[in-house]
Amino acid sequence: MMQQASFSVNKSLLWNDRKYVICMMNDDGEVVLESTPNNFTSTNMDSLLAAYCSGNLTFNLNADPIVLEKNTKGKFVARRTLSDFSPATKKHSIRASQYLNILLDAAPIYIDRAGIIDERIAAAAEEIGDENPPHRTTVFRWYKKFVASGNDKHSLIYQFENRGGKGQRRCSKKEAAMEDQLIEDMYLKERGSSLRELNQQMELDCRRNNQFLMPKNYLHPRSESSFRRRIKQYDPFEVAAAREGIELATRKFRSNGSVPIPRRRLEIVEIDHTPLDLFVIDEDRGIALGRPTLTLAICRKTKMPWGFYIGFDGCSADAVLACIEHGIKPKIYVKDDFPEIQGVWLVYGIPVELRCDNGLEFHGEGLQNAASDLAFELAFCPRREPNWKGSIESHLKTLNYQLMHKLPGTTFAKFYKRKGYDPEKCAVIDLNKLNRIIHTWLIDIYMSDLHRGLGCSPRQAWDRGDK
């Protein structure tokens, strides 16, 4: 906190790197300083001021106690300068001071002369350039504080930080105890009550207790907002553990630091399946065949797609091996098969680690043999630990929401979102056309768009390589 300094008795000084205390001052400007006990030096105010201006003398504020002054309520408070307060406080205080300066320069302020004071306030507002002038009662309140403080401008400093009762509970101790007990008994438990139920139960409890109380001592129920604010003061982990179980709470609040972080491209490739939110049709007969399954793999470091396979094989070992084959081979076919695609798909090669979940198709002999022959490692995520392959989980959701849900024949993610829409009747896309659409979206849109997790596009992250 910034403090004001002045030459006064008991003030500590640093003069030419030596400590002094002002012992005595008189009206003639003579000053007596004490450096050590019973070691006095006589000087004058002019010498002290000259030393202060030249920088040879400073006030040793750390050695001085903070000066306390009595305010209008009789309490001792520390004197603070306007620079110690917030910008809002500074703006308010300067504005009040400007109004009082202008009004008092012209004539005294009388609250009972409403018409006259309103005209003077309007004129002062025009002079200051204030579009929202204060009401006359506000001005008179400033004036009363100013006069009561002995015309001290510090009295106009409005301390916004002391307004209200921030952090204090606005209820009786009995009501606070009832609120805490309801939270413990009803909210902090598995399948616990909602905030509305807490509010209703407290209404019943207050009504029951008020039968035996005088009206002035009646208990009042806490609102849902009050319960919500009180619950926010509890430890979030403890709340989650009580309502959802310790396992889910640990997973929710755990840091992802235990998940290995790749340092180079294709060090970790994540693979997974998803049923696409889209009905496809038979190319020859035009009837809906159903929802195909997409098996897709992605480089965890760069978020670049490594390979994919789409078909009606479901979550099968054949789909996994087809996806791996597509990922390893260069994508030189794109320019010939899809000439409308502007970009290139540069990702190919054998990964260091293929990370997958614990589906049966990933534990088959065929995948084990492929991993052994191609010298990559199979890594299986711990049970109920989706964050171990969060990149592929997020990517599959993005593909469904940003692409599939915009195509005719989409099933949407939720049944209720269809609202009478029949995806089978609206389906017009066959498997070959869907393959073309996915290639176009992956190469020309997804790879070039900003990825918030990377801070750049996946293509730029791939081009940077292992840097």
Side-chain angles (χ1 to χ4, degrees):
M1 183 179 69
M2 184 182 295
Q3 301 179 32
Q4 293 180 343
S6 62
F7 291 102
S8 58
V9 177
N10 295 327
K11 183 67 66 176
S12 297
L13 309 174
L14 287 175
W15 189 6
N16 294 327
D17 298 328
R18 189 172 182 180
K19 295 181 180 180
Y20 294 93
V21 176
I22 300 178
C23 296
M24 188 180 67
M25 301 177 63
N26 60 24
D27 296 338
D28 296 330
E30 295 183 357
V31 181
V32 178
L33 305 177
E34 182 180 12
S35 57
T36 58
N38 298 322
N39 186 5
F40 299 98
T41 302
S42 179
T43 184
N44 55 59
M45 184 59 68
D46 292 338
S47 299
L48 294 179
L49 291 174
Y52 177 77
C53 294
S54 64
N56 295 324
L57 184 148
T58 58
F59 290 92
N60 188 15
L61 298 177
N62 294 330
D64 294 331
I66 296 177
V67 178
L68 298 179
E69 299 177 350
K70 255 188 179 181
N71 63 7
T72 55
K73 296 182 180 180
K75 295 181 179 180
F76 285 96
V77 296
R79 170 62 60 88
R80 299 169 63 184
T81 63
L82 187 59
S83 59
D84 291 325
F85 292 90
S86 65
T89 301
K90 295 178 186 177
K91 182 178 179 181
H92 179 278
S93 305
I94 294 173
R95 176 172 175 259
S97 179
Q98 288 176 328
Y99 273 101
L100 289 186
N101 287 338
I102 295 174
L103 294 174
L104 291 174
D105 285 345
I109 297 177
Y110 298 103
I111 194 65
D112 54 338
R113 301 178 182 178
I116 297 176
I117 192 65
D118 286 343
E119 292 179 0
R120 293 174 59 191
I121 292 173
E126 184 176 356
E127 181 177 344
I128 296 171
D130 186 5
E131 297 180 357
N132 298 304
H135 193 265
R136 58 178 176 273
T137 55
T138 301
V139 173
F140 191 66
R141 186 168 61 251
W142 293 343
Y143 178 65
K144 285 177 64 178
K145 291 172 62 178
F146 179 67
V147 173
S149 64
N151 298 347
D152 186 0
K153 292 293 182 65
H154 287 86
S155 63
L156 300 177
I157 297 178
Y158 188 80
Q159 300 185 34
F160 288 95
E161 65 270 19
N162 294 333
R163 183 171 54 184
K166 186 176 182 181
Q168 301 177 10
R169 302 177 73 175
R170 294 168 175 80
C171 60
S172 66
K173 292 183 178 180
K174 177 65 175 176
E175 293 166 351
M178 292 174 62
E179 181 182 30
D180 290 340
Q181 192 63 44
L182 287 174
I183 292 174
E184 294 286 342
D185 295 343
M186 297 178 59
Y187 188 83
L188 297 179
K189 58 188 297 186
E190 283 194 60
R191 299 182 299 277
S193 303
S194 65
L195 297 178
R196 178 58 182 162
E197 291 170 335
L198 293 178
N199 170 256
Q200 292 174 342
Q201 183 60 45
M202 191 165 181
E203 286 182 356
L204 293 175
D205 293 344
C206 289
R207 197 177 305 158
R208 188 181 303 114
N209 292 328
N210 289 342
Q211 296 176 2
F212 310 100
L213 298 175
M214 298 291 291
K216 65 179 181 179
N217 297 327
Y218 275 177
L219 299 174
H220 303 283
R222 307 293 285 154
S223 66
E224 294 181 41
S225 298
S226 298
F227 277 106
R228 183 180 296 108
R229 286 192 297 268
R230 181 57 177 161
I231 291 170
K232 284 184 178 180
Q233 296 176 3
Y234 284 70
D235 186 289
F237 176 82
E238 294 181 0
V239 174
R243 291 178 62 85
E244 304 171 11
I246 189 67
E247 184 177 350
L248 288 176
T250 302
R251 190 182 313 155
K252 181 177 181 180
F253 289 91
R254 170 188 58 197
S255 171
N256 288 334
S258 59
V259 179
I261 300 176
R263 297 184 178 181
R264 60 182 187 274
R265 298 176 298 184
L266 298 185
E267 180 178 351
I268 297 177
V269 170
E270 301 175 3
I271 186 170
D272 204 358
H273 316 275
T274 186
L276 292 177
D277 296 340
L278 182 78
F279 271 99
V280 298
I281 63 172
D282 181 86
E283 185 177 4
D284 298 325
R285 294 179 293 174
I287 61 175
L289 297 176
R291 297 170 59 187
T293 299
L294 174 68
T295 303
L296 191 141
I298 190 172
C299 171
R300 183 179 180 93
K301 176 176 175 60
T302 65
K303 316 302 180 190
M304 281 285 279
W306 179 59
F308 75 89
Y309 172 78
I310 183 171
F312 290 97
D313 303 313
C315 301
S316 64
D318 290 338
V320 174
L321 293 174
C323 178
I324 293 174
E325 180 184 6
H326 182 244
I328 292 175
K329 292 181 177 180
K331 315 302 188 289
I332 57 176
Y333 65 89
V334 172
K335 185 174 294 185
D336 296 331
D337 294 352
F338 311 111
E340 69 276 10
I341 294 179
Q342 302 295 321
V344 292
W345 193 349
L346 300 175
V347 184
Y348 67 92
I350 299 175
V352 177
E353 175 186 304
L354 184 67
R355 184 171 295 178
C356 45
D357 57 29
N358 289 281
L360 293 177
E361 68 275 12
F362 295 112
H363 289 274
E365 184 179 351
L367 183 57
Q368 298 286 346
N369 292 337
S372 177
D373 293 339
L374 297 174
F376 65 84
E377 181 181 352
L378 283 176
F380 298 97
C381 297
R383 183 171 171 266
R384 294 184 179 181
E385 299 285 348
N387 56 302
W388 273 69
K389 56 182 185 68
S391 296
I392 186 63
E393 300 280 357
S394 175
H395 181 79
L396 291 175
K397 181 179 179 180
T398 300
L399 187 144
N400 264 323
Y401 275 73
Q402 293 189 6
L403 180 61
M404 297 299 137
H405 292 181
K406 294 179 172 60
L407 298 177
T410 180
T411 61
F412 297 102
K414 306 292 183 182
F415 181 81
Y416 66 85
K417 290 187 176 181
R418 297 183 186 179
K419 299 179 180 179
Y421 177 81
D422 189 344
E424 292 189 49
K425 290 183 179 180
C426 298
V428 295
I429 298 175
D430 58 57
L431 202 59
N432 291 330
K433 188 174 182 180
L434 179 60
N435 186 43
R436 180 183 298 271
I437 291 173
I438 292 178
H439 272 87
T440 303
W441 183 82
L442 286 176
I443 299 173
D444 281 349
I445 299 178
Y446 170 78
M447 294 183 187
S448 301
D449 278 355
L450 174 67
H451 192 289
R452 287 183 298 176
L454 297 172
C456 62
S457 68
R459 192 186 306 278
Q460 290 172 329
W462 180 267
D463 291 340
R464 284 205 300 257
D466 303 332
K467 297 179 181 179

